[in-house]
């Protein structure tokens, strides 16, 4: 019994030590709208919380979420300094649709293209929309799929709680 407890304690320590690393962003190469390669492990916001939202141009809930956040985003930025990255998972033959969509909506989010889905898959994400909330140190503190009307209010509450926890 003592050996079992010792093994269990060792496993718990190993898993506990690995847990924080799993909350960091993986290093995956994606492109920005200008074609520049971006390493996802370097995404940050000068010590402020940030959001990463995975989407596709054909995803209606994604568009509803971005439009709802767009209305509030300038106020969020003024209040908390938050930054939002949106990551298109459109396949390579459809990435040409992303910039015209973003421009026509007037979204001033940071836009990344994950045409091969490597970043998306590396995080175990299986559907869009999918939002990650990260603290100022780049740790993933929340991850959720889907969008329901009004969810943007929960997002800003979480961002505010991260700012006050600093």
């Amino acid at each position: 019994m003592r050996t079992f407890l010792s093994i269990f304690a060792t496993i718990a320590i190993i898993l506990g030590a690995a847990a924080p690393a799993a909350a960091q962003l993986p290093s995956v190469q994606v492109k920005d709208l200008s074609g520049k390669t971006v390493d996802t492990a370097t995404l940050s916001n000068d010590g402020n919380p940030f959001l990463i939202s995975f989407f596709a141009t054909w995803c209606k809930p994604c568009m509803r979420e971005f439009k709802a956040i767009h209305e509030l985003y300038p106020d969020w930025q003024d209040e908390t300094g938050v930054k939002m990255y949106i990551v298109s998972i459109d396949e390579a033959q459809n990435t040409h649709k992303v910039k015209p969509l973003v421009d026509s909506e007037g979204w001033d989010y940071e836009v990344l293209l994950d045409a091969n889905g490597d970043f998306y898959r590396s995080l175990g994400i299986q559907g869009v929309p999918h939002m990650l909330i990260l603290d100022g140190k780049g740790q993933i503190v929340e991850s959720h799929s889907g969008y329901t009307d009004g969810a943007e209010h929960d997002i800003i509450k979480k961002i505010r709680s991260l700012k006050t926890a600093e």
Side-chain angles (χ1 to χ4, degrees), residues 4-149:
F4 172 76
L5 291 176
S6 175
I7 292 170
F8 182 78
T10 302
I11 291 170
I13 290 169
I14 291 169
L15 291 176
Q24 284 291 124
L25 290 174
S27 178
V28 177
Q29 306 304 304
V30 296
K31 301 279 185 187
D32 67 12
L33 288 179
S34 69
K36 179 183 165 199
T37 300
V38 176
D39 182 343
T40 59
T42 66
L43 298 179
S44 66
N45 186 24
D46 298 323
N48 289 311
F50 59 103
L51 307 168
I52 300 174
S53 187
F54 291 87
F55 78 102
T57 55
W58 46 261
C59 171
K60 291 185 189 319
C62 300
M63 299 306 110
R64 284 197 338 264
E65 178 178 53
F66 292 164
K67 286 178 183 183
I69 291 173
H70 176 71
E71 298 294 318
L72 306 168
Y73 191 54
D75 293 334
W76 289 8
Q77 289 181 301
D78 289 344
E79 179 186 348
T80 67
V82 72
K83 177 189 239 178
M84 184 159 158
Y85 293 92
I86 62 174
V87 182
S88 167
I89 63 160
D90 285 275
E91 294 177 354
Q93 68 266 25
N94 292 321
T95 58
H96 69 279
K97 298 176 181 178
V98 176
K99 184 172 177 8
L101 170 69
V102 170
D103 290 347
S104 71
E105 295 293 341
W107 297 333
D108 52 357
Y109 311 130
E110 299 284 330
V111 183
L112 301 172
L113 307 172
D114 186 20
N116 295 325
D118 295 337
F119 185 32
Y120 176 78
R121 281 192 309 278
S122 72
L123 291 160
I125 298 170
Q126 298 180 0
V128 290
H130 192 98
M131 169 112 24
L132 303 174
I133 301 175
L134 297 94
D135 66 15
K137 296 175 184 159
Q139 296 284 323
I140 300 169
V141 296
E142 193 169 306
S143 175
H144 68 273
S145 292
Y147 173 73
T148 55
D149 292 334

